[in-house]
Amino acid sequence: MVQPTPAPSDDWWRSAVIYQVYVRSFADGDGDGTGDLAGVRARLPYLAELGVDALWFNPWYLSPMKDGGYDVADYRAIDPAFGTLAEAEKLIAEARERGIRTIVDIVPNHVSDQHPWFRAALAGGPERELFHFRPGRGDHGELPPNDWRSEFGGPAWTRLPDGTWYLHLFAPEQPDLNWAHPAVRQEHEDILRFWFDRGVAGVRVDSAALLVKDPRLPDFVAGRDPHPYVDRDELHDVYRGWRAVADEYGGVFVGEVWLPDTERFARYLRPDELHTAFNFSFMTCPWDAVRLRTSIEDTLAEHAPIGAPATWVLCNHDVTRTVTRYGRADTAFDFAAKAFGTPTDLALGTRRARAAALLSLALPGAVYVYQGEELGLPEADIPLDRIEDPMHARSGGTDPGRDGCRVPLPWTAGAPHAGFGGAPWLPQPADWASYAADRQARDPGSLLALYREAIRLRPVFGDGPLTWLPTADGVLAFARANDDAICVVNLADAPARLPAHTALLLASGPLDPDGRLPKDTAVWLRA
């Protein structure tokens, strides 16, 4: 049996497997239908057996939940639906005792409209300087101050009864902060210290490239450089200040940075800024060998000059689940795949998701696994009257939103609500119990079993670079660990011959009778 060597603990984040926990949908410990910290604590043995190095928690703070917790009212309090601050501290400590670190989510671009700062601003206090309040345009101020559009659809401005407007790049309940104000910077550095003091190992930074705005708030002009609110140079001073705080604690950052310019992207990963950033290029690729290889090569190339590790992710709380995405027609591929009634071949999607799991876990860098991916959960169709995501309403009902990937997890096949707890806040599909963790734990051929074994074996690939191996068209093959460990993925129509090897370590599916690798299948080999 292969005995992998653990990575050094001080560099754990460079090659970690990090499990994303959307608390509201993970496990319900008190039976009220909402996932909570008690539910997570009860499932720590499951997470330890899965073998993950860290847990990234989506926002668990006090929130009106107008955008799934990304509208934060108090960063120093846990939302009562999830538990208490004392429970969070206990969860952080108990996870660490099992060798699992904790990463919390910070949303610096905006706060909730129920945040004390914004409520004071609405009352006319000096806190208005902490946001973007402006008079309207037009003869009577009836038009927004500029033409910016919300990421959720519609204008990025809301008018108040006194006639002034405030900026929100997301929902109206999420007013944008003014990062030119020193109090905003100081508050967030204090928040970082608050959570590092409680034992968290890292912080994920939401919408990390959007914080700083052009103070003139000009109309948007396509192609204008610099952009009025994306990737502005002033933003790097913010993250240098954050890095100084993290370095006091040995903490790490991962940024949500969506930028097409790889050189600009890499600037966020300089040694005095963020440690890592999400790799959306890989996640948004269709199931195509040429495009996947290009994404991998580009990702590694843009990280190499600055010595930062790449990150790999197949899905998250904002994206249609991998099984569904890969089960839809490649010609109609959309990384979010947000369309009502789009036909899906779940058997095809599952085969590809299994192969993609081995591909991502064999690559150099860190891997993020969204909860339920290890169970092969598909995207769920949510009845129109149960959709909560504001993207649905803001789109006029044309966008189904992101709730389909946030449906509460199935834990126990024979239990009510598939063992999640109480009647879940989002409805579970009728067949959800067939994906239950307890059923998959007993099945050596399940996707859960594949993830457990792949994470256990992953260190055989080492922490060095990869070398591409010659293959037929439509096949990806590379070697790592001084060319001793090999990953092969067949995306072609015909079965593929395997390279010379001494042992087959793991396969996403069976080989054909001639020992060839079937379509939509991946293997790990010992050279």
Side-chain angles (χ1 to χ4, degrees), residues 128 133-137 140-143 145 158-166:
R128 284 210 167 199
F133 286 90
R134 294 291 188 277
R137 297 190 292 190
H140 305 287
E142 72 278 9
L143 300 177
T158 290
R159 194 180 192 188
L160 296 170
D162 67 4
T164 59
W165 298 74
Y166 69 89

PDB file of all heavy atoms in Angstrom, residues 128 133-137 140-143 145 158-166:
ATOM      1  N   ARG A 128     -22.039  58.725   7.029  1.00  0.00           N
ATOM      2  CA  ARG A 128     -22.283  58.793   5.578  1.00  0.00           C
ATOM      3  C   ARG A 128     -20.969  58.782   4.800  1.00  0.00           C
ATOM      4  O   ARG A 128     -20.910  58.309   3.660  1.00  0.00           O
ATOM      5  CB  ARG A 128     -23.088  60.047   5.230  1.00  0.00           C
ATOM      6  CG  ARG A 128     -24.562  59.928   5.577  1.00  0.00           C
ATOM      7  CD  ARG A 128     -25.434  60.756   4.654  1.00  0.00           C
ATOM      8  NE  ARG A 128     -26.839  60.384   4.828  1.00  0.00           N
ATOM      9  CZ  ARG A 128     -27.792  60.638   3.955  1.00  0.00           C
ATOM     10  NH1 ARG A 128     -27.502  61.283   2.834  1.00  0.00           N
ATOM     11  NH2 ARG A 128     -29.034  60.263   4.167  1.00  0.00           N
ATOM     12  N   PHE A 133     -22.583  58.078  -0.869  1.00  0.00           N
ATOM     13  CA  PHE A 133     -23.841  58.812  -1.022  1.00  0.00           C
ATOM     14  C   PHE A 133     -23.616  59.940  -2.022  1.00  0.00           C
ATOM     15  O   PHE A 133     -22.610  60.660  -1.941  1.00  0.00           O
ATOM     16  CB  PHE A 133     -24.306  59.398   0.311  1.00  0.00           C
ATOM     17  CG  PHE A 133     -24.871  58.378   1.259  1.00  0.00           C
ATOM     18  CD1 PHE A 133     -24.062  57.715   2.166  1.00  0.00           C
ATOM     19  CD2 PHE A 133     -26.234  58.077   1.239  1.00  0.00           C
ATOM     20  CE1 PHE A 133     -24.583  56.775   3.042  1.00  0.00           C
ATOM     21  CE2 PHE A 133     -26.766  57.147   2.111  1.00  0.00           C
ATOM     22  CZ  PHE A 133     -25.942  56.498   3.010  1.00  0.00           C
ATOM     23  N   ARG A 134     -24.551  60.110  -2.950  1.00  0.00           N
ATOM     24  CA  ARG A 134     -24.413  61.156  -3.962  1.00  0.00           C
ATOM     25  C   ARG A 134     -25.788  61.706  -4.319  1.00  0.00           C
ATOM     26  O   ARG A 134     -26.800  60.981  -4.242  1.00  0.00           O
ATOM     27  CB  ARG A 134     -23.767  60.602  -5.241  1.00  0.00           C
ATOM     28  CG  ARG A 134     -22.328  60.142  -5.096  1.00  0.00           C
ATOM     29  CD  ARG A 134     -21.369  61.308  -4.872  1.00  0.00           C
ATOM     30  NE  ARG A 134     -19.983  60.878  -4.925  1.00  0.00           N
ATOM     31  CZ  ARG A 134     -19.312  60.334  -3.908  1.00  0.00           C
ATOM     32  NH1 ARG A 134     -19.939  60.127  -2.758  1.00  0.00           N
ATOM     33  NH2 ARG A 134     -18.039  59.996  -4.038  1.00  0.00           N
ATOM     34  N   PRO A 135     -25.841  62.972  -4.764  1.00  0.00           N
ATOM     35  CA  PRO A 135     -27.092  63.498  -5.321  1.00  0.00           C
ATOM     36  C   PRO A 135     -27.344  62.877  -6.688  1.00  0.00           C
ATOM     37  O   PRO A 135     -26.411  62.436  -7.377  1.00  0.00           O
ATOM     38  CB  PRO A 135     -26.828  65.002  -5.424  1.00  0.00           C
ATOM     39  CG  PRO A 135     -25.338  65.114  -5.532  1.00  0.00           C
ATOM     40  CD  PRO A 135     -24.771  63.996  -4.716  1.00  0.00           C
ATOM     41  N   GLY A 136     -28.578  62.832  -7.091  1.00  0.00           N
ATOM     42  CA  GLY A 136     -28.914  62.273  -8.388  1.00  0.00           C
ATOM     43  C   GLY A 136     -28.699  63.260  -9.513  1.00  0.00           C
ATOM     44  O   GLY A 136     -28.438  64.460  -9.297  1.00  0.00           O
ATOM     45  N   ARG A 137     -28.816  62.745 -10.714  1.00  0.00           N
ATOM     46  CA  ARG A 137     -28.748  63.591 -11.903  1.00  0.00           C
ATOM     47  C   ARG A 137     -30.165  63.885 -12.386  1.00  0.00           C
ATOM     48  O   ARG A 137     -31.135  63.333 -11.889  1.00  0.00           O
ATOM     49  CB  ARG A 137     -27.915  62.906 -12.980  1.00  0.00           C
ATOM     50  CG  ARG A 137     -26.460  62.686 -12.561  1.00  0.00           C
ATOM     51  CD  ARG A 137     -25.574  62.226 -13.705  1.00  0.00           C
ATOM     52  NE  ARG A 137     -25.888  60.871 -14.169  1.00  0.00           N
ATOM     53  CZ  ARG A 137     -25.123  60.183 -15.022  1.00  0.00           C
ATOM     54  NH1 ARG A 137     -24.018  60.739 -15.505  1.00  0.00           N
ATOM     55  NH2 ARG A 137     -25.468  58.973 -15.394  1.00  0.00           N
ATOM     56  N   HIS A 140     -34.391  67.056 -11.278  1.00  0.00           N
ATOM     57  CA  HIS A 140     -34.829  66.962  -9.889  1.00  0.00           C
ATOM     58  C   HIS A 140     -34.094  65.848  -9.127  1.00  0.00           C
ATOM     59  O   HIS A 140     -34.607  65.349  -8.126  1.00  0.00           O
ATOM     60  CB  HIS A 140     -36.334  66.714  -9.843  1.00  0.00           C
ATOM     61  CG  HIS A 140     -37.127  67.743 -10.590  1.00  0.00           C
ATOM     62  ND1 HIS A 140     -37.303  69.031 -10.127  1.00  0.00           N
ATOM     63  CD2 HIS A 140     -37.767  67.672 -11.798  1.00  0.00           C
ATOM     64  CE1 HIS A 140     -38.033  69.708 -11.001  1.00  0.00           C
ATOM     65  NE2 HIS A 140     -38.320  68.900 -12.020  1.00  0.00           N
ATOM     66  N   GLY A 141     -32.914  65.470  -9.626  1.00  0.00           N
ATOM     67  CA  GLY A 141     -32.156  64.415  -8.961  1.00  0.00           C
ATOM     68  C   GLY A 141     -32.794  63.057  -9.065  1.00  0.00           C
ATOM     69  O   GLY A 141     -32.497  62.155  -8.266  1.00  0.00           O
ATOM     70  N   GLU A 142     -33.648  62.885 -10.073  1.00  0.00           N
ATOM     71  CA  GLU A 142     -34.417  61.645 -10.190  1.00  0.00           C
ATOM     72  C   GLU A 142     -33.645  60.516 -10.878  1.00  0.00           C
ATOM     73  O   GLU A 142     -34.104  59.380 -10.894  1.00  0.00           O
ATOM     74  CB  GLU A 142     -35.719  61.906 -10.945  1.00  0.00           C
ATOM     75  CG  GLU A 142     -35.562  62.160 -12.450  1.00  0.00           C
ATOM     76  CD  GLU A 142     -35.180  63.604 -12.795  1.00  0.00           C
ATOM     77  OE1 GLU A 142     -34.865  64.374 -11.845  1.00  0.00           O
ATOM     78  OE2 GLU A 142     -35.200  63.957 -13.987  1.00  0.00           O
ATOM     79  N   LEU A 143     -32.476  60.837 -11.427  1.00  0.00           N
ATOM     80  CA  LEU A 143     -31.673  59.834 -12.120  1.00  0.00           C
ATOM     81  C   LEU A 143     -30.476  59.437 -11.263  1.00  0.00           C
ATOM     82  O   LEU A 143     -29.928  60.258 -10.518  1.00  0.00           O
ATOM     83  CB  LEU A 143     -31.180  60.387 -13.459  1.00  0.00           C
ATOM     84  CG  LEU A 143     -32.264  60.796 -14.453  1.00  0.00           C
ATOM     85  CD1 LEU A 143     -31.624  61.403 -15.703  1.00  0.00           C
ATOM     86  CD2 LEU A 143     -33.131  59.597 -14.813  1.00  0.00           C
ATOM     87  N   PRO A 145     -26.715  58.681  -9.905  1.00  0.00           N
ATOM     88  CA  PRO A 145     -25.505  59.493 -10.088  1.00  0.00           C
ATOM     89  C   PRO A 145     -24.635  59.065 -11.258  1.00  0.00           C
ATOM     90  O   PRO A 145     -23.892  59.877 -11.809  1.00  0.00           O
ATOM     91  CB  PRO A 145     -24.768  59.316  -8.751  1.00  0.00           C
ATOM     92  CG  PRO A 145     -25.845  59.011  -7.766  1.00  0.00           C
ATOM     93  CD  PRO A 145     -26.848  58.187  -8.528  1.00  0.00           C
ATOM     94  N   THR A 158     -29.582  53.129  -5.253  1.00  0.00           N
ATOM     95  CA  THR A 158     -30.927  53.207  -4.688  1.00  0.00           C
ATOM     96  C   THR A 158     -31.137  54.594  -4.104  1.00  0.00           C
ATOM     97  O   THR A 158     -30.258  55.131  -3.416  1.00  0.00           O
ATOM     98  CB  THR A 158     -31.130  52.137  -3.605  1.00  0.00           C
ATOM     99  OG1 THR A 158     -31.181  50.846  -4.235  1.00  0.00           O
ATOM    100  CG2 THR A 158     -32.427  52.371  -2.838  1.00  0.00           C
ATOM    101  N   ARG A 159     -32.324  55.144  -4.382  1.00  0.00           N
ATOM    102  CA  ARG A 159     -32.632  56.496  -3.904  1.00  0.00           C
ATOM    103  C   ARG A 159     -33.341  56.432  -2.557  1.00  0.00           C
ATOM    104  O   ARG A 159     -34.228  55.606  -2.338  1.00  0.00           O
ATOM    105  CB  ARG A 159     -33.502  57.234  -4.923  1.00  0.00           C
ATOM    106  CG  ARG A 159     -33.579  58.744  -4.681  1.00  0.00           C
ATOM    107  CD  ARG A 159     -34.448  59.419  -5.703  1.00  0.00           C
ATOM    108  NE  ARG A 159     -34.305  60.879  -5.647  1.00  0.00           N
ATOM    109  CZ  ARG A 159     -35.066  61.726  -6.325  1.00  0.00           C
ATOM    110  NH1 ARG A 159     -36.048  61.254  -7.105  1.00  0.00           N
ATOM    111  NH2 ARG A 159     -34.856  63.033  -6.230  1.00  0.00           N
ATOM    112  N   LEU A 160     -32.957  57.321  -1.672  1.00  0.00           N
ATOM    113  CA  LEU A 160     -33.544  57.412  -0.345  1.00  0.00           C
ATOM    114  C   LEU A 160     -34.653  58.471  -0.329  1.00  0.00           C
ATOM    115  O   LEU A 160     -34.736  59.309  -1.229  1.00  0.00           O
ATOM    116  CB  LEU A 160     -32.465  57.781   0.677  1.00  0.00           C
ATOM    117  CG  LEU A 160     -31.357  56.748   0.849  1.00  0.00           C
ATOM    118  CD1 LEU A 160     -30.223  57.322   1.691  1.00  0.00           C
ATOM    119  CD2 LEU A 160     -31.910  55.474   1.475  1.00  0.00           C
ATOM    120  N   PRO A 161     -35.504  58.459   0.693  1.00  0.00           N
ATOM    121  CA  PRO A 161     -36.580  59.451   0.758  1.00  0.00           C
ATOM    122  C   PRO A 161     -36.103  60.895   0.743  1.00  0.00           C
ATOM    123  O   PRO A 161     -36.829  61.777   0.281  1.00  0.00           O
ATOM    124  CB  PRO A 161     -37.278  59.113   2.089  1.00  0.00           C
ATOM    125  CG  PRO A 161     -37.022  57.647   2.282  1.00  0.00           C
ATOM    126  CD  PRO A 161     -35.644  57.414   1.747  1.00  0.00           C
ATOM    127  N   ASP A 162     -34.876  61.140   1.210  1.00  0.00           N
ATOM    128  CA  ASP A 162     -34.379  62.524   1.205  1.00  0.00           C
ATOM    129  C   ASP A 162     -33.832  62.939  -0.164  1.00  0.00           C
ATOM    130  O   ASP A 162     -33.322  64.048  -0.330  1.00  0.00           O
ATOM    131  CB  ASP A 162     -33.315  62.734   2.279  1.00  0.00           C
ATOM    132  CG  ASP A 162     -32.025  61.951   2.019  1.00  0.00           C
ATOM    133  OD1 ASP A 162     -31.912  61.301   0.957  1.00  0.00           O
ATOM    134  OD2 ASP A 162     -31.125  61.986   2.881  1.00  0.00           O
ATOM    135  N   GLY A 163     -33.913  62.039  -1.143  1.00  0.00           N
ATOM    136  CA  GLY A 163     -33.494  62.364  -2.502  1.00  0.00           C
ATOM    137  C   GLY A 163     -32.087  61.946  -2.850  1.00  0.00           C
ATOM    138  O   GLY A 163     -31.721  61.942  -4.033  1.00  0.00           O
ATOM    139  N   THR A 164     -31.262  61.591  -1.864  1.00  0.00           N
ATOM    140  CA  THR A 164     -29.903  61.153  -2.161  1.00  0.00           C
ATOM    141  C   THR A 164     -29.904  59.683  -2.576  1.00  0.00           C
ATOM    142  O   THR A 164     -30.851  58.940  -2.321  1.00  0.00           O
ATOM    143  CB  THR A 164     -28.978  61.352  -0.953  1.00  0.00           C
ATOM    144  OG1 THR A 164     -29.499  60.614   0.157  1.00  0.00           O
ATOM    145  CG2 THR A 164     -28.861  62.822  -0.597  1.00  0.00           C
ATOM    146  N   TRP A 165     -28.821  59.294  -3.201  1.00  0.00           N
ATOM    147  CA  TRP A 165     -28.648  57.928  -3.683  1.00  0.00           C
ATOM    148  C   TRP A 165     -27.434  57.297  -3.003  1.00  0.00           C
ATOM    149  O   TRP A 165     -26.479  57.990  -2.664  1.00  0.00           O
ATOM    150  CB  TRP A 165     -28.411  57.925  -5.191  1.00  0.00           C
ATOM    151  CG  TRP A 165     -29.528  58.462  -6.036  1.00  0.00           C
ATOM    152  CD1 TRP A 165     -29.889  59.768  -6.194  1.00  0.00           C
ATOM    153  CD2 TRP A 165     -30.417  57.706  -6.857  1.00  0.00           C
ATOM    154  NE1 TRP A 165     -30.945  59.888  -7.059  1.00  0.00           N
ATOM    155  CE2 TRP A 165     -31.288  58.630  -7.495  1.00  0.00           C
ATOM    156  CE3 TRP A 165     -30.570  56.356  -7.137  1.00  0.00           C
ATOM    157  CZ2 TRP A 165     -32.286  58.231  -8.374  1.00  0.00           C
ATOM    158  CZ3 TRP A 165     -31.560  55.948  -8.023  1.00  0.00           C
ATOM    159  CH2 TRP A 165     -32.411  56.890  -8.623  1.00  0.00           C
ATOM    160  N   TYR A 166     -27.473  55.972  -2.831  1.00  0.00           N
ATOM    161  CA  TYR A 166     -26.288  55.273  -2.324  1.00  0.00           C
ATOM    162  C   TYR A 166     -25.936  54.120  -3.264  1.00  0.00           C
ATOM    163  O   TYR A 166     -26.795  53.534  -3.913  1.00  0.00           O
ATOM    164  CB  TYR A 166     -26.486  54.766  -0.887  1.00  0.00           C
ATOM    165  CG  TYR A 166     -27.471  53.638  -0.728  1.00  0.00           C
ATOM    166  CD1 TYR A 166     -27.070  52.307  -0.830  1.00  0.00           C
ATOM    167  CD2 TYR A 166     -28.825  53.892  -0.450  1.00  0.00           C
ATOM    168  CE1 TYR A 166     -27.976  51.264  -0.675  1.00  0.00           C
ATOM    169  CE2 TYR A 166     -29.736  52.854  -0.289  1.00  0.00           C
ATOM    170  CZ  TYR A 166     -29.295  51.547  -0.409  1.00  0.00           C
ATOM    171  OH  TYR A 166     -30.190  50.513  -0.255  1.00  0.00           O
TER     172      TYR A 166
END
